[in-house]
Amino acid sequence: MLRYIARRIIQFIPVFLGVTLILFVMQNVVPGDPIKLIAGEKKLDPQTEINLRASYHLIETDENGAPIFDEEGNTIETPLWKRYISYITGLLHGDLGRSYQQNGKEVTKILSQKYPYTFKLAVVAIVLESIIGIAAGMVSAIKRYSAWDVGVTLVTSGLVAMPAFWFGMLQQLFWGILMKQWTGGGFYLPISGTGGPYAEFPSWVYYILPALTLAAVSTAYTARIMRSQLLEVLNQDYIRTARAKGLSRRAVIWRHALKNALIPVVTYIGMDFGGMLAGAILTETVFNWPGVGFETYRAISQRDWPIVMGSVTVIVIVVMVINLIVDISYAFLDPRIRFDGSNNE
Amino acid sequence: MSDNTTQPAGEQAVEQAQAKEFSAAPSRTLWGDAFQRLRRNKLAVAGAIWIILMVIIAISADLWVPQTLGNPTQTDSTTMASMSRLPPSLEHPFGTDTLGRDVLCRVIYGARISLAVGVLATAISTLIGLVMGALAAYNGGIWDTIIMRFADIFLAFPYTLFVIAMLAVIGPGIQNVFIAIGVLGWPSIARVFRSAILSVKENDYVDAARAMGASDARIIVRHIFPNSVASIVVYATMNIGGAILTESALSFLGMGVVPPDPSWGIMIQDGQTYLATQPWLMIMPGIAILTTVLAFTLLGDGLRDALDVKMKDA
Amino acid sequence: MFGFGRKKKQATDWVDLKTQPVPEGHHLLEVNDLKMYFHTQDGVVKAVNGVSYTLDRGETLGVVGESGSGKSVTSLTIMGLIDMPPGKIEGGDVLYRGRSLVKMTEEEMEHIRGNDIAMIFQDPMTSLNPVYTIGRQLSEGMILHRGYSKQQALQRSIELLQMVGIPNAEQRVKDYPHEFSGGMRQRVMIAMALACDPDILIADEPTTALDVTIQAQIIELMQKMQEENGNAIIMITHDLGVVADIADKIMVMYAGQPVEFGTAEEIFYEPIHPYTWGLNRSIPDPVIDEKRPLTPIKGNPPSLVNAPAGCAFSPRCPYATDLCRTEQPPTYVTETGHYSRCHYAHDASFVSANAPETSRTKTMLDHAADAVAAAQEGGEA
């Protein structure tokens, strides 16, 4: 078991380095001088510009952070590989650099303000997804070819084929406008334009529609995976064995089929949670949700690269850690993996 | 039937003789059978018909749309104010947008962009994926490790985020959308193709062919490719729908197709402002996305069921 | 069928059928003209078409046939494990201690399964649930049918494992199926089937998926358990050789029909159906002259949807006549109950002219006589 975990963690390292390298290269091939992005329309005097460059580690500095000049009195540009190393070192110390805007606020600080919103939204969404998806898929498999099964198949096909942001807008339209009488007009909708990026959402009801939107596609997939897995498991020989023992159909489903069928479903849901923590850019944009996804989107459109880099880095790490946890819990669920891992057979 | 897994010894000779007959024309039988099964799948047929219809409309648009519905991009400034955001009517079945352009007309031209992005991006990622997958699976060893690690790195990114970041770097525009979706989509195709090759390679008949002295090239062409092409076709079909969805999301965020080109995603974004008063502005292009992606999904599902070798025994 | 967590009510008034005597004029198990058809898109598949036999305690019935001959479907029908639809019982009956299993409700059948009639399956690698320990899977039936506590059931599971010859049973009971070898798993399956001391053990190709060396051990184990418990065995196999030494009666099935039924002796020494001859000829026999050619039966089993108009075996039968191809053969029954579905089964000269020489032996004496006969035949050839 320990060896299995260790192996997974070792596999994680090259992927992590590769990912950060790609991000770093992306940032540094972007056309445009960061200082111009920072300054915007303003004209900077040369000394301020040099200080800025030094503070963003774009030029070589001495131990005190003062810029180093060459013989001709020019600053020395820090080579890319040095910047990558200092970026990685910073990363390991929890330092993600500073924003080009927002008065050079630290990226870590910005993200730590945004993450609670994304996290809470993801939790609500994953709960909805698990309950609705698993239940729908189970009933669908057990009552195969029934009206319910056909309905679930149609609805899931539709949800999968729908852009999530459009689905979110349809919900705003339905609950906020068509059902105005019932919802009281000012329904707890973070409708775009009304909340604004720094709106507070004190009540849980604000989470319903964004969470439904965020969960829609994955719920459809969960239901489909659950259905097909359960159907496949119910065809297995050991189900016949259990029936031959005299167990009722219901007991067979609950005691024998469910655990086997749930293993891949749990894996999917776990991975999906990672995806949701990645910040649902589209959902958060449609609902003006003040989470990481929306922040990333804003940063990209304003070319605030340290924020983009920082949030993508954090997101990728979160996703990879979640996947690692899912892999490990998979081993706990399935005894076959558990033993393969420890005995290395 | 329930006891089909084993064969009496005496029967095997006959089976083998028949298998020989069978393998004389494997492709015709496989694809012929698959076509028959596909034809019986009403949902898949509906999907295929819808796709064909969309393609015909999109290709022929220049011949009849401007004459009847007007220009999809340009607007006449003299009539703009009076034509702005008209509700659906006989003259404008889907209504008009803020600039007085016919929404149906823009939806039809949007289909061109969506289908083009779907097919081209899928073609790019399939091609890269096939080459990478084949290199990894057939050569194995260090090639396999490097390529698959590389794929892992790509797959570690949340896909949408990755495409957005890429477009932020290379800038918006339709060609860049092709490139971003196409280039970043290869790892999943490579994985599918790699495992398809590996599972075929495991088969006894490939061992048999090798034992009989068949060359690698012959094994790939005669045995591995025909047996993995089914999974590629299914995967690519479904991938087109996914690419169309990604394109609409990118355009919605303003990082994809550049206005005034009519992309469905841009139209939805334009319509968002008028959600309360003129909802058709976002509903119509959304339905266009939904039906098109659904058609590709249904066709893909149908193809998977029709081509799946496992299904053949049932 | 489907309820959330509702605990199943145990019918307390249920009396185990196996504790009651077999009613006068009945056998332990009687299968009468059983017909199980599947209604599929391609048409009606007549998977079991008129199967009849009887079985008593302590007896072993061998059911022999090729893939798709309906031998497995017959026993799954008896167990009530065929999904209906697509399956449908089109006629016939199954009587267990005089009670019709076909007419029983699903709940009543749940009392029968595992308790009165138990079953083991072909592939021990896939017949055990991978995510539960062996002990848990063994206990399940005993908790259900005997009302054992978990502790009692576990204790009994260990005994059962020892009985079927699994070493270190106290430890092994906590292991998962994948930690056992194929042969060991089939032993576990046998232990599981015998856990509630059933009247009838149905074994569906129990040795097919196993190594040859293990096969004999498993058969031997089943025989030993039968001697101790006195249960009846239905042994389903495609290999006439497997049942040769253990079956009292043999039913040969072809295309959903029993084509010949008789005692093991009759099937081996006096077979009266050409299909049985074919099966006999295709058994490799170490005793008889090595030069004797093995003769496979040519062709494939017929489609069960569009069965041939006449005798189902006629397309592959070397002796088929126009009569065979146009008319279904009647059942020809001898005085001993040995029956055959062949137009020419009553024709002694036809039978003696075409039936194969056989070397299968019950006693050393027969063995010797056969060896001599075989040697002579070999010499003549």
Side-chain angles (χ1 to χ4, degrees), chain A residues 38-300:
Chain A
I38 296 166
E41 297 297 305
K42 282 181 293 179
K43 275 270 175 223
L44 295 173
D45 63 77
Q47 189 52 48
T48 319
E49 193 183 319
I50 288 171
N51 288 343
L52 266 178
R53 284 190 193 279
S55 70
Y56 281 97
H57 306 293
L58 297 169
I59 50 174
E60 297 282 9
T61 53
D62 59 24
E63 299 89 55
N64 304 322
I68 300 169
F69 297 92
D70 61 13
E71 296 90 39
E72 287 156 39
N74 293 322
T75 53
I76 306 158
E77 206 178 328
T78 310
L80 269 184
W81 63 267
K82 260 193 181 166
R83 273 152 68 185
Y84 178 65
I85 289 174
S86 73
Y87 159 74
I88 289 283
T89 327
L91 197 61
L92 294 175
H93 291 90
D95 176 12
L96 293 165
R98 291 186 293 124
S99 166
Y100 286 167
Q101 286 135 20
Q102 304 185 25
N103 296 320
K105 202 171 169 185
E106 280 170 33
V107 174
T108 326
K109 233 175 220 161
I110 296 174
L111 290 180
S112 61
Q113 282 165 359
K114 301 289 172 189
Y115 242 102
Y117 290 100
T118 298
F119 184 76
K120 281 189 263 181
L121 187 60
V123 170
V124 179
I126 215 79
V127 169
L128 287 175
E129 173 188 337
S130 312
I131 296 173
I132 301 174
I134 291 178
M138 254 185 89
V139 179
S140 212
I142 292 166
K143 299 195 184 295
R144 197 180 182 183
Y145 301 132
S146 67
W148 170 273
D149 184 26
V150 174
V152 167
T153 309
L154 286 178
V155 170
T156 54
S157 308
L159 284 176
V160 169
M162 223 180 259
F165 57 92
W166 188 65
F167 181 66
M169 286 161 76
L170 284 185
Q171 290 196 79
Q172 293 176 340
L173 179 64
F174 183 78
W175 298 107
I177 293 154
L178 294 181
M179 301 292 284
K180 202 170 180 176
Q181 296 297 321
W182 185 69
T183 56
F187 187 52
Y188 314 99
L189 285 178
I191 289 189
S192 51
T194 61
Y198 300 108
E200 289 291 321
F201 300 121
S203 169
W204 62 270
V205 283
Y206 293 108
Y207 287 86
I208 301 177
L209 294 192
L212 271 177
T213 306
L214 183 55
V217 176
S218 343
T219 306
Y221 277 118
T222 306
R224 289 180 149 209
I225 297 171
M226 186 68 210
R227 178 181 184 273
S228 64
Q229 283 300 322
L230 193 53
L231 284 177
E232 200 188 310
V233 169
L234 286 174
N235 262 330
Q236 296 292 314
D237 288 349
Y238 55 80
I239 294 301
R240 200 175 49 182
T241 309
R243 294 269 290 148
K245 263 188 241 177
L247 264 67
S248 68
R249 216 175 111 84
R250 198 176 65 226
V252 168
I253 288 168
W254 283 98
R255 283 193 227 153
H256 283 266
L258 208 55
K259 192 173 173 190
N260 285 284
L262 272 177
I263 293 172
V265 176
V266 168
T267 312
Y268 173 77
I269 293 178
M271 304 264 180
D272 199 45
F273 186 59
M276 284 179 177
L277 285 182
I281 292 193
L282 291 161
T283 305
E284 291 187 1
T285 307
V286 170
F287 287 96
N288 274 4
W289 194 259
V292 182
F294 192 40
E295 184 63 28
T296 312
Y297 164 65
R298 272 168 16 103
I300 290 174

Side-chain angles (χ1 to χ4, degrees), chain B residues 257-308:
Chain B
V257 175
V258 185
D261 280 344
S263 156
W264 293 336
I266 290 180
M267 295 172 73
I268 293 179
Q269 207 239 327
D270 287 346
Q272 191 181 19
T273 323
Y274 307 102
L275 187 65
T277 46
Q278 284 93 16
W280 63 85
L281 288 178
M282 52 85 44
I283 290 181
M284 295 309 180
I287 290 175
I289 298 176
L290 172 64
T291 48
T292 310
V293 176
L294 188 60
F296 278 106
T297 316
L298 292 177
L299 181 62
D301 278 346
L303 282 171
R304 182 196 60 205
D305 290 348
L307 286 169
D308 197 341

Side-chain angles (χ1 to χ4, degrees), chain C residues 129-159:
Chain C
N129 194 331
V131 300
Y132 294 126
T133 60
I134 293 296
R136 185 175 163 167
Q137 298 187 56
L138 273 164
S139 303
E140 215 165 27
M142 293 182 277
I143 293 171
L144 188 74
H145 296 299
R146 300 217 148 162
Y148 280 11
S149 71
K150 272 190 183 170
Q151 204 48 51
Q152 282 174 305
L154 196 69
Q155 200 49 49
R156 176 78 183 134
S157 301
I158 294 171
E159 288 169 28

Side-chain angles (χ1 to χ4, degrees), chain C residues 23-224:
Chain C
E24 200 65 31
H26 281 289
H27 293 277
L28 180 69
L29 185 73
E30 292 165 57
V31 180
N32 299 325
D33 198 25
L34 187 65
K35 290 187 170 114
M36 168 62 87
Y37 294 178
F38 289 95
H39 295 265
T40 67
Q41 281 186 331
D42 301 322
V44 179
V45 178
K46 299 176 180 175
V48 177
N49 197 2
V51 169
S52 304
Y53 60 79
T54 63
L55 191 66
D56 288 303
R57 269 187 79 83
E59 275 188 341
T60 299
L61 169 73
V63 180
V64 182
E66 285 168 293
S67 306
S69 61
K71 54 194 195 301
S72 289
V73 180
T74 308
S75 50
L76 289 171
T77 308
I78 295 170
M79 292 288 279
L81 286 177
I82 299 284
D83 281 334
M84 300 193 265
K88 188 162 186 274
I89 294 176
E90 297 277 347
D93 206 346
V94 180
L95 299 180
Y96 168 66
R97 291 186 184 259
R99 290 275 304 272
S100 167
L101 296 182
V102 172
K103 294 191 184 82
M104 276 193 185
T105 64
E106 174 62 23
E107 226 161 290
E108 287 173 307
M109 275 312 289
E110 281 162 18
H111 287 287
I112 300 287
R113 282 186 215 124
N115 193 20
D116 299 293
I117 307 177
M119 192 159 178
I120 58 179
F121 298 98
Q122 177 175 339
D123 191 350
M125 306 307 261
T126 57
S127 294
L128 289 164
N129 194 331
V131 300
Y132 294 126
T133 60
I134 293 296
R136 185 175 163 167
Q137 298 187 56
L138 273 164
S139 303
E140 215 165 27
M142 293 182 277
I143 293 171
L144 188 74
H145 296 299
R146 300 217 148 162
Y148 280 11
S149 71
K150 272 190 183 170
Q151 204 48 51
Q152 282 174 305
L154 196 69
Q155 200 49 49
R156 176 78 183 134
S157 301
I158 294 171
E159 288 169 28
L160 283 164
L161 288 181
Q162 285 164 342
M163 243 160 67
V164 296
I166 289 182
N168 202 9
E170 291 88 355
Q171 296 300 316
R172 297 296 268 165
V173 78
K174 293 180 212 132
D175 284 347
Y176 287 92
H178 65 271
E179 296 168 80
F180 288 79
S181 68
M184 284 294 163
R185 279 191 226 189
Q186 198 61 295
R187 284 172 191 265
V188 171
M189 287 296 291
I190 291 173
M192 203 186 303
L194 296 176
C196 294
D197 195 11
D199 259 348
I200 302 168
L201 175 66
I202 302 177
D204 189 351
E205 309 241 7
T207 59
T208 308
L210 302 175
D211 284 350
V212 183
T213 46
I214 311 293
Q215 285 183 5
Q217 292 175 16
I218 293 294
I219 299 278
E220 204 175 298
L221 175 66
M222 287 174 60
Q223 274 185 295
K224 187 183 131 221

Side-chain angles (χ1 to χ4, degrees), chain B residues 64-82:
Chain B
W64 55 279
V65 175
Q67 291 81 342
T68 49
L69 298 168
N71 190 302
T73 51
Q74 300 283 295
T75 182
D76 182 352
S77 55
T78 52
T79 57
M80 196 176 96
S82 60

Side-chain angles (χ1 to χ4, degrees), chain C residues 220-331:
Chain C
E220 204 175 298
L221 175 66
M222 287 174 60
Q223 274 185 295
K224 187 183 131 221
M225 302 311 277
Q226 184 181 30
E227 274 163 31
E228 285 171 23
N229 303 327
N231 58 290
I233 293 179
I234 299 176
M235 173 77 88
I236 300 163
T237 177
H238 63 252
D239 185 354
L240 204 49
V242 168
V243 291
D245 301 323
I246 61 162
D248 302 301
K249 299 172 180 175
I250 291 174
M251 178 168 73
V252 179
M253 285 190 72
Y254 187 79
Q257 295 179 326
V259 290
E260 185 165 359
F261 175 84
T263 63
E265 229 157 305
E266 285 164 339
I267 297 297
F268 281 109
Y269 296 104
E270 300 151 31
I272 48 176
H273 193 286
Y275 181 62
T276 316
W277 301 343
L279 287 181
N280 269 329
R281 284 202 185 95
S282 51
I283 308 173
D285 198 321
V287 177
I288 207 163
D289 183 353
E290 283 152 25
K291 284 178 198 146
R292 188 193 75 155
L294 281 179
T295 330
I297 304 169
K298 289 190 177 62
N300 270 340
S303 148
L304 295 174
V305 181
N306 303 310
C311 170
F313 187 56
S314 60
R316 296 168 72 188
C317 181
Y319 319 106
T321 62
D322 285 343
L323 177 68
C324 298
R325 281 182 273 268
T326 50
E327 252 180 72
Q328 296 258 0
T331 307

